Amino acid sequence: MKVPSSFLLPFVLLLGVLSGCGVQNVPTQPVGHVPTPGPSDPYVSSLSPSVVVGGGPAFTLTIMGANFASGDSAYWAGPQGCTITSTFVSSTEVVAQVPAACLIRPGVATVTVEPVNPSPIQFGGQITIQIPPLTGNQSYSLSMTPVQANDMVWDPLSEQFYLSVVVANGTNGNTITALNPSTRQFGISSAAGDIPDRLSLASDGSYLYAGMDGSNLVQRFTLPNLASDISIPLGTDTFFSTPYPYYPMDVAVDPASSHTVAVVRGVAAISPREQGGVVLYDDAVQRPATVPSFSTTTSNLPIDFLAWNPGGNQLYGSYSNVLSVISVDSTGLHVGTIYPAKFEAFGVLHYDAATGYLYADTGQVIDPATGTVIGTFPLSSPQGTLSPSVMIPDDTLHIAYFIGQTADLAGTQQYAIEAFDLTQFTPLGDTSISNVIGVPVKLLRWGTNGLAFLTTTGIGYPPESGNGVYFVQGDFVTSPADRTHGTARDRNSSSAASHN
């Protein structure tokens, strides 16, 4: 995540020249041996410009060196896959055109000049890409309501959040409880069973589905009164000599039918947990066709998280870096295309109806029709299984919001919220949030100018005392700090009163 300039070095592209970079098929060398160019090896000695602002426009790179020849090409190997074009000028100079796509992700890249038949070792320049600090309007108010909860959803009809509150919270433990963001006060609360966790809200506001990890079922509640409705038992895994009950790893209600819900079934006592596949229920009646459970002896892949398309005829499942496209009909679920290596790491999927794209917490944007990664948001936070970002797309404001933590702030209580253009993937603004207790695990948009995030002890860990819901409200949400684009501010002429 980007953070204010007081916490960042100038975000630039530093192009330095190192020998031995960009090594391919390196032969065995004695310990401590540093390769040096041979008499006829092409090598890079300098790059101009030597400093380019990351996230900026395309630019021309002059590569100086020796032993270049007509037909040689410049190559860029970096964190963001891209291609540069180059023109031979002389034996000591090659000029390359570097597109903006090469500059959008932080990390280290290498620029080399290589002949048609390159030698095993290439000598090029090491490139560090960082994203520029953003300035502008960062006006917002911040408040926090302490609560220990596993999940939360926003109901735009009743204009309140629903939280799956754990027993350790004491008050309202093992309940589904409403929270009013305007007053920051809890509202109606309903007993929910043992370990309420994943929540899913029907698009028409009629039902709330809640996964009960300890009770091994999904409980449905009627809204807005949160009255307990039907229970959906998930069954038992009988493959092993000891039967193991399934628990709901994820719950996702069909946006086209509030009576239909998809559930990822897992077994807590077995690794991997994804033993029960994905099942579709109409009320409490299971459709016969299901996504098979994970198996090491078949092509069946595990699924952790689900997202629907708005028509209810397709479901998307994610596990690690794999996307599964699942068709839905009256008989149930049918696995179609499986696209590997679509995410950087473990992450939740968000389907945006306006763009038709899937947005991953780790920053990738995927067209589910083709499985193509059409873009990647240039996040400043490292993406891994221990401390990934969480995000929410907003097609009304045309903004994607992320919250996460840069590597240098790991272990602190400081996080940053970044805002990006939803389809151009360009940074619009960021702001720092201090004194955050716990790790953000859910980010939501609410009201006209609000964001809210829920913290727990960490990804995959239960919440503890001090965790809660943080409310961010004000101009930053609707009109993020502007770098050079002006897109968010131009689109949104109205802003709400707030204070820094």
Side-chain angles (χ1 to χ4, degrees), residues 14 19 30 51 56 60 77 111 133 212 217 225 245 250 258 264 293 362-363 385 399 466 470 474 479:
L14 303 175
S19 65
V51 177
T60 299
V111 171
M212 304 295 161
L217 55 83
N225 58 350
D250 198 17
S258 61
V264 178
S293 60
T362 47
T385 57
I399 297 173
Y470 290 76
S479 302

Side-chain angles (χ1 to χ4, degrees), residues 220-410:
R220 191 170 76 185
F221 298 86
T222 59
L223 299 177
N225 58 350
L226 266 183
S228 182
D229 189 33
I230 63 170
S231 296
I232 305 174
L234 300 183
T236 302
D237 189 310
T238 58
F239 178 81
F240 300 92
S241 57
T242 301
Y244 292 101
Y246 292 125
Y247 80 98
M249 293 180 60
D250 198 17
V251 179
V253 59
D254 183 349
S257 173
S258 61
H259 289 263
T260 301
V261 64
V263 181
V264 178
R265 302 187 306 182
V267 175
I270 299 174
S271 180
R273 301 172 301 162
E274 298 85 354
Q275 299 294 324
V278 184
V279 180
L280 199 63
Y281 297 93
D282 298 303
D283 295 320
V285 179
Q286 178 182 322
R287 294 191 196 179
T290 67
V291 174
S293 60
F294 168 69
S295 171
T296 57
T297 60
T298 69
S299 60
N300 300 340
L301 292 174
I303 290 175
D304 283 340
F305 300 108
L306 299 171
W308 285 90
N309 75 348
N313 61 350
Q314 206 162 61
L315 191 63
Y316 310 105
S318 66
Y319 170 79
S320 185
N321 64 354
V322 177
L323 169 66
S324 298
V325 179
I326 305 165
S327 63
V328 183
D329 62 21
S330 59
T331 66
L333 305 173
H334 309 274
V335 179
T337 308
I338 296 175
Y339 299 105
K342 294 305 174 184
F343 320 105
E344 283 193 2
F346 170 95
V348 175
L349 292 176
H350 310 265
Y351 186 91
D352 184 79
T355 64
Y357 297 147
L358 290 165
Y359 292 79
D361 280 346
T362 47
Q364 293 77 38
V365 182
I366 303 134
D367 183 350
T370 61
T372 304
V373 177
I374 64 165
T376 302
F377 294 103
L379 305 179
S380 296
S381 60
Q383 295 305 302
T385 57
L386 297 179
S387 59
S389 300
V390 290
M391 69 88 63
I392 189 70
D394 184 338
D395 53 40
T396 300
L397 296 177
H398 205 73
I399 297 173
Y401 303 91
F402 291 80
I403 184 169
Q405 195 173 57
T406 55
D408 60 314
L409 294 177

Side-chain angles (χ1 to χ4, degrees), residues 148-170:
Q148 298 176 56
N150 279 324
D151 197 11
M152 71 173 181
V153 294
W154 165 247
D155 183 0
L157 297 179
S158 63
E159 297 186 328
Q160 59 186 348
F161 292 97
Y162 295 109
L163 296 150
S164 52
V165 182
V166 300
V167 67
N169 192 69

Side-chain angles (χ1 to χ4, degrees), residues 165 172-173 175-178 187-191 225-226:
V165 182
N172 296 331
T175 67
I176 305 300
T177 298
I188 191 170
S189 185
S190 181
N225 58 350
L226 266 183

